[in-house]
Amino acid sequence: MQELHDAPLAPLTTFRLGGPAARLLTATTDAEVVAAVREADDSGTPLLVIGGGSNLVIGDKGFDGTALRIATKGFTLSGTSLELAAGEVWTDAVARTVEAGLAGVECLAGIPGSAGATPIQNVGAYGQEVSSTITEVVAYDRHTRETVMIPNEECAFSYRHSRFKADPDRFVVLRVRFELEEAAGLSAPLRYPETARAMGVEQGERVPASAARETVLKLRAGKGMVLDPEDHDTWSAGSFFTNPILEPAAYEDFLARVHERLGPDVVPPAFPAEDGRTKTSAAWLIDRAGFTKGYGGGRARISTKHTLALTNRGGATTEDLLGLAREVVAGVHDAFGVTLVNEPVTVGVSL
């Protein structure tokens, strides 16, 4: 297991931000991951687990503890059953399932990060979420000090949330198991309107899975959400804020503010959510509050391609980024009474 001291963490994140770790370990096997976690727990050392680094905002002072980078490998496909090691690159794994003619995750192409992070965030995009295909998560339980297998129904999946995110200091994901669909090379039914429109079909139709994947990659690239070292619009965590889900009374207040600010004929995006609530669009809120593409005069700015992405234009600090994020949160709340919630995990800092 590789060990470094006073090790830069910024290169391990897609933001390219954050100070160093007192100690950085790189684990390439499940046994090394477990050993490193146990050692940290036994010594009372703070532990930061890093996968692909696509969902991390690390403070400029860095991390005074052990950072554990999970670099495990393992792609096992048996029929329609897939097992991924936590360190597998997610978008590469999606490509391989499509090549195998299987459906279920093709619309999750291009999402940066590692496979182990997907159940934590219940990663989703373009009408698919991993919760619909995950059957089981293999994790190390830091409370019981055992490796456990957690079935889907015990993962408490919801929108961009899970049992693992709710209790971040308990489980370290080692492997994720999926059940995909054999659909003769076709995709799962397309659920997202933008994807269906881009492919010239109706929602609910199936298309070749490879074509669905390529379409999603093009849509994401057009929004700066496919990693490109030369494109500062991709020096981000993708969507920085989750889409707000509003209780009925809060939604009525939101509508009243929209009509007062933008006019009685303006209808904001609205999607039914659980328990009578309504989901609206964070990107729409940000744009209509006056934070348009490219907003910002410093080294951290809103993406020139998508208002939901905050970006490092080169040479930014984490405080630059957080200053922009706080400005956006305050502006949206003042305009519409809705408080945006950050999607990336913050380390040593907060909004």
Side-chain angles (χ1 to χ4, degrees):
M1 186 156 47
Q2 184 188 68
E3 178 173 345
L4 299 172
H5 294 270
D6 196 27
L9 293 179
L12 302 182
T13 74
T14 52
F15 265 124
R16 296 166 171 81
L17 295 176
R23 181 180 183 227
L24 172 64
L25 301 177
T26 298
T28 58
T29 68
D30 291 354
E32 288 181 349
V33 172
V34 171
V37 175
R38 283 179 172 166
E39 178 193 341
D41 289 345
D42 288 344
S43 63
T45 303
L47 180 69
L48 171 63
V49 177
I50 300 176
S54 61
N55 205 45
L56 281 179
V57 178
I58 299 173
D60 293 316
K61 293 182 179 179
F63 185 69
D64 188 17
T66 295
L68 172 61
R69 178 172 172 261
I70 297 182
T72 53
K73 297 296 180 184
F75 179 103
T76 304
L77 189 60
S78 177
T80 55
S81 297
L82 172 67
E83 179 181 283
L84 296 177
E88 282 288 330
V89 176
W90 172 251
T91 193
D92 292 349
V94 171
R96 292 177 70 177
T97 67
V98 171
E99 289 170 4
L102 300 177
V105 294
E106 60 281 354
C107 291
L108 301 179
I111 293 177
S114 61
T118 60
I120 297 172
Q121 287 289 112
N122 185 18
V123 162
Y126 295 97
Q128 290 182 342
E129 289 183 329
V130 292
S131 57
S132 66
T133 51
I134 287 176
T135 58
E136 193 171 58
V137 176
V138 181
Y140 176 69
D141 186 338
R142 297 171 69 183
H143 289 187
T144 65
R145 298 175 64 84
E146 296 177 332
T147 296
V148 295
M149 289 174 283
I150 304 172
N152 179 293
E153 57 270 21
E154 294 180 15
C155 292
F157 288 125
S158 61
Y159 172 65
R160 300 299 173 272
H161 201 67
S162 69
R163 176 183 184 180
F164 312 104
K165 189 173 181 179
D167 195 359
D169 295 326
R170 179 167 182 179
F171 297 103
V172 176
V173 175
L174 301 174
R175 297 187 171 264
V176 189
R177 293 171 178 155
F178 302 81
E179 184 62 30
L180 303 176
E181 180 187 5
E182 172 55 64
L186 296 179
S187 69
L190 297 180
R191 297 180 179 177
Y192 200 70
E194 184 181 13
T195 315
R197 284 196 303 270
M199 302 202 70
V201 300
E202 297 294 323
Q203 280 181 256
E205 289 190 38
R206 294 178 185 263
V207 297
S210 58
R213 174 180 172 271
E214 289 300 323
T215 298
V216 166
L217 287 173
K218 289 178 182 177
L219 290 171
R220 291 185 64 86
K223 300 172 183 177
M225 298 211 175
V226 176
L227 293 180
D228 179 352
E230 303 303 316
D231 183 359
H232 283 279
D233 279 326
T234 73
W235 290 30
S236 75
S239 300
F240 194 87
F241 300 103
T242 58
N243 290 323
I245 299 178
L246 306 176
E247 299 289 344
Y251 181 66
E252 291 303 318
D253 179 66
F254 165 58
L255 283 180
R257 286 174 178 259
V258 168
H259 296 155
E260 179 182 355
R261 181 181 177 91
L262 303 175
D265 297 329
V266 175
V267 180
F271 310 93
E274 293 179 351
D275 302 324
R277 297 179 296 170
T278 302
K279 181 194 295 184
T280 191
S281 165
W284 187 93
L285 289 168
I286 292 167
D287 182 72
R288 295 306 179 95
F291 302 99
T292 53
K293 295 174 184 176
Y295 178 89
R299 294 169 294 184
R301 302 177 197 170
I302 291 177
S303 166
T304 65
K305 299 183 180 73
H306 199 287
T307 54
L308 200 49
L310 307 188
T311 67
N312 172 9
R313 309 313 295 186
T317 66
T318 300
E319 278 306 309
D320 292 333
L321 176 76
L322 294 177
L324 175 62
R326 292 172 186 133
E327 183 182 359
V328 171
V329 170
V332 168
H333 188 269
D334 288 346
F336 300 113
V338 176
T339 301
L340 295 177
V341 177
N342 53 290
E343 184 169 335
V345 175
T346 55
V347 179
V349 291
S350 65
L351 289 188

